[in-house]
């Protein structure tokens, strides 16, 4: 789950990290009054920042500096309700529903600091760079030596000496080094306490008087850990999420929309990916990834069909079930029952394998619904691709 | 021969009285697995299926029955603690089936297991089977056949698919291991490759990877360094888009890294027999090994 | 630093451990009104408990059960201002300045739970016993099998499974087991967060409905860690501490009063103990332990003399300095200067050894003060013991 | 021969610019100790006494100078972190002089050092000296003499006293170690006994214990098991009252345990030559070893 900048900053502020004053606004009027407060408090300029989950907002015009409350209101009016296109969104962009009005900072130096998981080492890693404000992957490509790292070992977490070491390796000294090291410690505690998968401050600003301020911040939270963070779950903003993926998640289905024409319904994530690959190898294009999981009850299969068929371009469906503990005959019954409640007007290729596959296939054959039955995964993919191209009867 | 488990393995099941735990314990027992104990706090003193003693704690189970392998079906909020309990009780192998454990819990768990010398397999995995001897997991036993191919995979049903193909072409398996689909796992492809290399009976390894992480690349580097067995490899997710989690928490192309193409390239360059399609696994293995 | 029961309970309550309602009272009237509130809230009985650091209060009459607010006031009146003698105090007892008026609990079962340091293992250990209310050392002697333990390993602390394991090994089941395990986890976090050297709940009570309540509680805090716990430092009650030891501590001196007649002033704790032992071997009795530490400045030596001479029975002084980095000539000068400000009317035996010992001895010989100079530790002890027995001139 | 440090040891001093650190670094250098680097965050790039390079971090010091032993003078609130930094930087031996470190910090530090294979000596100790070769600590070098007796002690000045007696009776020392007066320490009496047993030059060990803890009892158990060298032992605090901390945080008779009498009995039964008086250490050593 992704958090917005303003949410992430509130979490950091709670943990003692300095962040600029700011106000969330959903209307130009709110933006004006938020900006006015900041100007009254002495800000020379305020930033108007689109609150979207995608990165690269600056490049897409999602961050503007205003010199008056009126100007801030104008920027906010232009952003709110617009579709913001950034290097990390598709060409259609994402809708801006909230802006954050924030006091400008006195920037002497900009750093990058983040914690994320190092999968190879199996532990979190702090990644820092003296090139703040830039995308870290860009820095990794153009100037990898500018990036320094320290691992948070199991049981030990980030130790103070590691944070200090990072600060010195970034070329800092004195108060700025101590401030950055302290911020890294706080960020690592936040990462841990919030079950984050990413905690990023970019840029982390050194001010003219060697203060340290988080000018942008981003937390991604581990979905598996949300059960123990109701306070974070309440921060979820689903406006940028794919509606079908959300609907699938509500039914404990794992669904990802793709661009192709062959709708897939598979049990197991690996087999679902493998099925997509096989469709591709057969010359077709999968319309989605869809894992119905281990249970595959009638209700679940029906939901899966419903979501699958909402994919606009689906012109054939491939059901690929490898029965393990799940019995194929039960799945077959589920499919038939599901089809009584969901209108499916495209060819359906079914491949059942594993436990009670034969019985399952017989059930399908004996039903009113017309299925194209396949034996192997390869055959199933070929038939589905052909069906999607309108050659089902060929 | 085999790796990790065999007919001498003595299994304790943590979460034996839960619905999943009970069902799969029964399945494992029917397969012939030697389930010697179960653990459910508060149910100590009862019997599972009138035969398997249940204990409140793993240490009691280990002390009373000599269990050396734990199969874990404990729900996600308690699973990390359960694995640590198994490690602390001294089981040599903990196989965690549970899906949905928070990643940072697993960071701790893997560190804890390493510090205690307990091997962890999983989490979020189908388990381990040595056909004809011992099934510790949720895989359908009947598709497997005793033989000479080792199988390593990050997924469940795709493994069954691969095993089924092997069995159909007449190639049995020494041991099949589902290492799990999470970002942090106890045992990697590489770890399994090492163990298979030491197993006399294993003549080839089928390795099924998927997008995300760098476990396949690390395995490739290991294979490239004179790995003694032929490796047949498939990487799932060639058609997966970046930034999208493909079911498994660990199956995601993040920051442009972890693509199937990169992994396939690394494995190919390391000398593995990489197939483009999951349908070709069995045929390729037969081609490499001969009938 | 020791905390009182009421202070310890407040710390536990803050961390989610259930404790009975209670009120501190320093007068009988406060005790009455505190008790009245508890009776009003439904208590059948209230306990009046002397707040002293020494354990074994119950045996000394420091805990009384009252059935009315008047009775509570009577008990409080009797306790407040009295000297409470318990198995852990000397025969003179300790003054009771505060009492704690507490709601009675519905006791079904009493346990003992504590965390302390296992020095052999180098980590904290949870010690628990089903024989609550009893002194744990008594249980260790009479029924060692009743005691169960789990270690809190470096980096890992107490894990939930260990707390659960302890609860089952205490013979608990169901809700009581879960409640006790949860309490142990909270106690272990408190131990860690507060830098405790001891965190004890005795008894930890299981109530009739399987609830879990801490009926008595005790924290000892690591003095070395107090710098990071100003909130705990503020809880210090020095009324039970030895005034001379406190005075010594203020001057960074380590002082312990003993019963003998030979006052000792030594640099280094080990040598100070060794000097005491040597005095004892020579047939005398040390009047104190006193480590002047590494610095041994004039001010410090003077303070040491002042404190030393407040020991009532001191009839000779032994100064034993092994100069290492500290030079004996400087110490000698410090002693002489100190004696200008402190009246010492008993014989002083001085043994200087190590760096510049010869020069130091010469300085002493050249001074107005009459010192008995010794070369070896053995000689010094012999001479001091003789001096203390009035045979200095013999 | 010697244990822990010798003329090849390359010392880095953490906290070299503090008043204690600077003073004792100078003393050690005057003794002939090879101090190759200092560490004070923020002072990297400067020189100590115009000769010893100062670094911001230990890892830099180790990489630049090959330091393998760290002497630590960092104040208590930062000392635990400093020891961990030394361990993480890969020094084989960390000697922590600092007194007053919170006990729970030391629990973590010792665990961390053990996990990394770094030996910690101390804290709250005078350090280690191999006479004539290397002094890493605050002991007065001149009382020591090269020779054949190993010395282990929990205290500072009492060790100097014992060493002085040895030197006066003509017995030099191989290595003298102050293990420290805190409840949790990195290296125990027993650890040092093990190392002395492997040292060819050491012919006897003088072991000075004190009240509190059970380190002396554990040493006694180890000695009882055919320890190859004669051990001369003294326990300070025979006259100490229970429940009172005798200066050292670790020197306290708690719950009736850790008395001098118990420790002396255990050592005597183990075959050690236990003296009642600290004055007899030198004479007893001479009696046992011969001139």
């Amino acid at each position: 789950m992704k958090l917005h900048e303003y949410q992430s900053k509130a979490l950091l502020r709670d943990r003692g990290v300095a962040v600029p004053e700011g106000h969330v606004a959903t209307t130009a009027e709110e933006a004006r009054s938020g900006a006015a407060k900041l100007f009254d408090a002495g800000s020379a300029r305020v930033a108007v920042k689109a609150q979207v989950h995608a990165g690269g907002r600056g490049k897409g015009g999602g961050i503007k500096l205003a010199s008056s409350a009126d100007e801030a209101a104008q920027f906010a009016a232009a952003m709110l309700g617009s579709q913001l296109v950034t290097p990390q969104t598709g060409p259609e962009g994402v809708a801006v529903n909230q802006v954050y009005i924030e006091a400008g900072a006195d920037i002497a130096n900009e750093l990058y600091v983040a914690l994320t998981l190092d999968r190879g080492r199996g532990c979190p890693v702090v990644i820092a760079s003296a090139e703040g404000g830039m995308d870290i992957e860009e820095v990794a490509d153009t100037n990898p030596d500018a990036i320094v790292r320290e691992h948070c070992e199991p049981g030990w977490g980030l130790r103070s000496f590691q944070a200090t070491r990072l600060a010195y390796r970034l070329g800092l000294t004195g108060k700025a080094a101590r401030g950055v090291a302290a911020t890294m410690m706080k960020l690592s505690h936040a990462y841990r306490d919030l079950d984050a998968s990413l905690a990023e401050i970019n840029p982390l600003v050194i001010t003219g008087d060697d203060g340290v301020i988080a000018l942008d911040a981003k937390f991604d939270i581990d979905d598996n850990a949300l059960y123990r963070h109701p306070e974070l779950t309440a921060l979820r903003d689903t406006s940028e999420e794919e509606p079908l993926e959300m609907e699938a998640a509500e039914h404990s289905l794992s669904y990802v929309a793709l661009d192709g024409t062959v709708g897939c319904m598979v049990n197991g994530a690996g087999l679902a990916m493998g099925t997509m690959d096989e469709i591709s190898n057969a010359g077709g294009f999968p319309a989605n990834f869809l894992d119905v999981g281990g249970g595959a009850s009638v209700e679940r299969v029906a939901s899966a069909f419903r979501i699958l068929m909402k994919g606009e371009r689906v012109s054939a469906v491939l059901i690929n079930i490898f029965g393990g503990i799940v019995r194929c005959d039960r799945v077959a019954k589920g499919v038939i029952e599901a089809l009584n409640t969901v209108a499916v007007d495209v060819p359906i290729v079914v491949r059942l394998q594993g436990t009670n596959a034969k019985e399952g296939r017989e059930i399908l054959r004996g039903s009113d619904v017309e299925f194209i039955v396949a034996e192997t995964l390869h055959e199933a993919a070929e038939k589905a691709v052909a069906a999607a191209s309108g050659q089902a009867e060929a | 021969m085999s790796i990790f488990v065999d007919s001498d393995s003595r299994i304790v099941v943590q979460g034996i009285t839960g619905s999943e735990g009970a069902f799969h314990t029964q399945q494992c027992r029917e397969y012939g697995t030697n389930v010697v104990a179960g653990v459910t706090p508060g149910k100590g003193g009862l019997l599972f299926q009138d035969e398997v003693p249940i204990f409140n704690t793993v240490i009691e189970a280990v002390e009373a029955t000599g269990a050396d392998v734990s199969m874990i079906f404990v729900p996600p909020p308690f699973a990390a603690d359960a694995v640590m309990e198994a490690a602390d009780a001294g089981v040599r192998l903990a196989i965690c089936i549970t899906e949905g454990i928070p990643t940072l819990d697993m960071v701790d768990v893997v560190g804890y297991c390493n510090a205690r010398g307990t091997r962890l397999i999983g989490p979020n995995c189908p388990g381990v089977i040595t056909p004809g001897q011992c099934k510790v997991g949720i895989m359908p036993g009947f598709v497997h056949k005793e033989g000479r191919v080792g199988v390593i995979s990050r997924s469940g049903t795709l493994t069954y698919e691969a095993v089924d193909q092997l069995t159909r072409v007449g190639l049995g398996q020494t041991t099949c291991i589902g290492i799990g689909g999470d970002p942090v796992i106890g045992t990697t492809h590489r770890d399994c490759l090492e163990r298979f290399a030491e197993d006399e009976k294993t003549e080839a390894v089928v390795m099924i990877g998927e997008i995300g992480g760098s476990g396949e690349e690390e395995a490739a580097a290991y294979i490239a360094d004179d790995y003694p067995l032929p490796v047949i490899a498939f990487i799932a997710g060639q058609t997966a888009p970046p930034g999208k989690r493909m079911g498994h928490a660990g199956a995601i192309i993040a920051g442009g890294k972890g693509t199937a193409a990169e992994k396939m390239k690394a494995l190919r360059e390391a000398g593995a027999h990489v197939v483009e399609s999951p349908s070709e696994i069995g045929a390729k293995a037969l081609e490499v090994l001969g009938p």
Side-chain angles (χ1 to χ4, degrees), chain A, chain B:
Chain A
M1 184 186 98
K2 291 173 189 293
L3 297 184
H4 285 301
E5 174 192 9
Y6 77 91
Q7 297 166 330
S8 302
K9 282 182 169 167
L11 293 168
L12 285 176
R13 188 189 288 119
D14 290 347
R15 286 161 178 79
V17 175
V19 297
E21 278 300 299
H23 304 280
V24 181
T26 55
T27 65
E29 211 32 62
E30 282 175 16
R32 185 195 314 276
S33 81
K37 280 181 211 157
L38 298 177
F39 283 114
D40 287 351
S43 286
R45 295 197 301 180
V46 305
V48 180
K49 303 161 98 174
Q51 298 299 290
V52 296
H53 291 141
R57 289 173 305 170
K59 291 175 186 161
I63 301 179
K64 299 279 185 190
L65 286 176
S67 303
S68 70
D70 281 345
E71 199 185 0
Q74 284 160 26
F75 286 138
M79 280 184 209
L80 287 163
S82 75
Q83 290 291 116
L84 182 67
V85 180
T86 87
Q88 293 184 23
T89 66
E92 70 286 2
V94 290
V96 180
N97 300 316
Q98 300 169 99
V99 294
Y100 192 49
I101 314 296
E102 190 178 67
D106 162 27
I107 301 178
N109 193 359
E110 294 183 87
L111 310 172
Y112 175 96
V113 178
L115 276 100
T116 185
L117 182 73
D118 180 337
R119 289 177 59 164
R121 286 273 290 256
C123 65
V125 61
V126 184
I127 300 173
S129 139
E131 306 199 6
M134 281 181 67
D135 187 72
I136 192 70
E137 281 140 24
E138 219 174 301
V139 180
D141 283 342
T142 57
N143 189 10
D145 290 347
I147 298 177
V148 293
R149 291 180 180 79
E150 290 280 349
H151 286 91
C152 307
E153 288 190 42
W156 299 110
L158 187 71
R159 311 304 310 186
S160 293
F161 74 83
Q162 295 179 290
T164 304
R165 206 152 70 177
L166 283 168
Y168 281 104
R169 286 165 66 202
L170 290 176
L172 304 172
T173 54
K175 185 184 162 195
R178 289 192 297 277
V180 166
T183 302
M184 286 172 175
M185 292 304 292
K186 289 168 188 162
L187 187 66
S188 78
H189 295 148
Y191 178 90
R192 174 94 223 179
D193 296 346
L194 301 172
D195 273 302
S197 52
L198 173 72
E200 184 184 81
I201 302 179
N202 184 25
L204 179 66
V205 161
I206 314 280
T207 60
D209 60 351
D210 281 344
V212 175
I213 294 183
L215 205 55
D216 195 0
K218 182 193 275 189
F219 281 99
D220 292 355
I221 307 298
D222 179 0
D223 290 322
N224 283 346
L226 282 176
Y227 72 88
R228 56 188 174 203
H229 299 288
E231 78 291 0
L232 295 180
T233 310
L235 299 179
R236 185 187 283 272
D237 175 0
T238 55
S239 65
E240 286 179 58
E241 293 181 29
E242 176 72 40
L244 282 184
E245 291 178 18
M246 285 171 54
E247 190 183 335
E250 278 162 26
H251 295 90
S252 303
L253 298 164
S254 189
Y255 174 89
V256 175
L258 298 168
D259 292 336
T261 55
V262 182
C264 311
M265 190 177 105
V266 188
N267 67 329
L271 190 58
M273 281 188 276
T275 304
M276 287 158 51
D277 294 343
E278 189 73 18
I279 289 168
S280 171
N281 284 331
F285 299 94
N288 64 279
F289 165 95
L290 175 56
D291 173 11
V292 294
S297 65
V298 173
E299 188 274 337
R300 236 174 172 186
V301 170
S303 306
F305 262 116
R306 217 171 1 248
I307 289 162
L308 195 58
M309 293 313 298
K310 288 186 186 168
E312 285 174 18
R313 277 170 286 201
V314 172
S315 50
V317 170
L318 167 53
I319 300 175
N320 183 21
I321 301 290
F322 200 105
I325 300 306
V326 170
R327 287 161 44 181
C328 286
D329 52 342
R330 290 222 181 136
V331 173
K333 282 185 195 150
V335 168
I336 288 165
E337 284 189 43
L339 289 178
N340 291 334
T341 67
V342 190
V344 177
D345 51 3
V346 297
I348 303 175
V349 180
V350 181
R351 183 248 184 168
L352 299 177
Q353 200 50 269
T355 313
N356 292 6
K358 209 175 119 195
E359 292 84 341
R361 273 178 233 128
E362 272 159 21
I363 289 168
L364 293 184
R365 275 199 204 93
S367 80
D368 299 339
V369 188
E370 205 175 317
F371 294 101
I372 303 167
V373 176
E375 173 90 12
T376 67
L377 173 54
H378 180 69
E379 184 192 342
E382 296 263 324
K383 286 185 171 172
V385 171
S389 330
Q391 304 159 1
E393 286 78 21
Chain B
M1 288 284 285
S2 61
I3 68 172
F4 296 135
V5 297
D6 59 25
S7 52
D8 291 335
S9 300
R10 299 174 69 78
I11 318 300
V12 53
V13 181
Q14 290 177 255
I16 196 169
T17 57
S19 67
E20 287 238 356
F23 175 74
H24 289 293
T25 301
Q26 180 178 352
Q27 296 276 322
C28 289
R29 294 188 76 213
E30 284 172 10
Y31 192 80
T33 304
N34 187 16
V35 177
V36 298
V39 172
T40 298
K43 305 233 166 141
L46 302 181
L47 290 176
F48 175 79
Q49 294 186 331
D50 299 332
E51 286 179 346
V52 180
I54 301 177
F55 299 88
N56 288 322
T57 64
V58 181
I59 188 82
E60 285 176 284
V62 166
E63 284 171 359
T65 68
D68 64 340
V69 174
S70 178
M71 175 163 66
I72 298 163
F73 285 101
V74 172
F78 312 106
D81 193 59
V83 179
M84 290 187 180
E85 183 181 1
D88 185 72
V91 304
R92 65 173 174 84
L93 180 65
I95 298 174
C96 184
I97 309 299
T98 310
E99 180 178 356
I101 304 176
T103 301
L104 293 182
D105 284 11
M106 285 316 304
V107 169
D108 281 349
V109 165
V110 171
Y112 193 88
C113 287
N114 287 344
R116 275 173 172 61
T118 293
R119 174 168 294 283
L120 168 66
I121 291 178
N124 187 16
C125 78
V128 180
I129 183 169
T130 291
Q133 295 192 54
C134 183
K135 165 173 127 84
V136 189
I138 61 174
M139 66 288 287
F142 73 94
V143 301
H144 300 78
K145 177 184 154 181
E146 216 172 322
R148 52 192 173 122
V149 180
V151 178
I152 317 167
S153 171
R154 278 168 69 181
S155 79
T157 45
L158 182 55
T159 320
Y160 315 159
E161 170 75 35
V163 168
D164 190 52
Q165 288 178 28
L166 290 171
T167 300
R168 280 167 193 262
V169 300
L171 290 171
Q173 304 88 43
T174 47
T175 301
C176 305
I177 306 127
I179 61 174
D182 275 2
V184 176
I185 53 178
T187 295
T188 62
H189 277 114
R190 192 205 139 118
D191 295 332
C192 297
L193 285 168
E194 282 187 42
R195 293 292 294 267
F196 276 128
E198 294 161 5
D199 179 48
E200 282 174 26
K201 186 86 178 289
T202 302
E203 295 175 21
V205 178
V206 165
M207 180 184 136
I208 300 170
E210 59 190 38
I211 55 165
S214 57
E216 292 82 359
E217 285 85 340
E218 285 149 24
Y222 180 67
I223 292 167
D225 188 19
D226 278 333
Y227 189 68
L229 302 176
V231 175
I232 296 94
F234 171 71
I235 304 294
Q238 299 165 50
T239 47
K244 289 287 188 180
R245 169 178 156 170
M246 305 304 279
H248 286 162
I252 182 164
I253 298 168
K257 300 282 174 194
T259 64
E262 283 175 337
K263 292 172 187 292
M264 290 166 76
K265 180 164 177 280
L267 285 162
R268 218 174 263 127
E269 288 173 0
H273 305 272
V274 179
V275 297
E276 304 267 338
S277 151
S279 305
E280 297 164 15
I281 296 169
K284 177 60 79 176
L286 187 64
E287 181 194 320
V288 169
L289 267 179

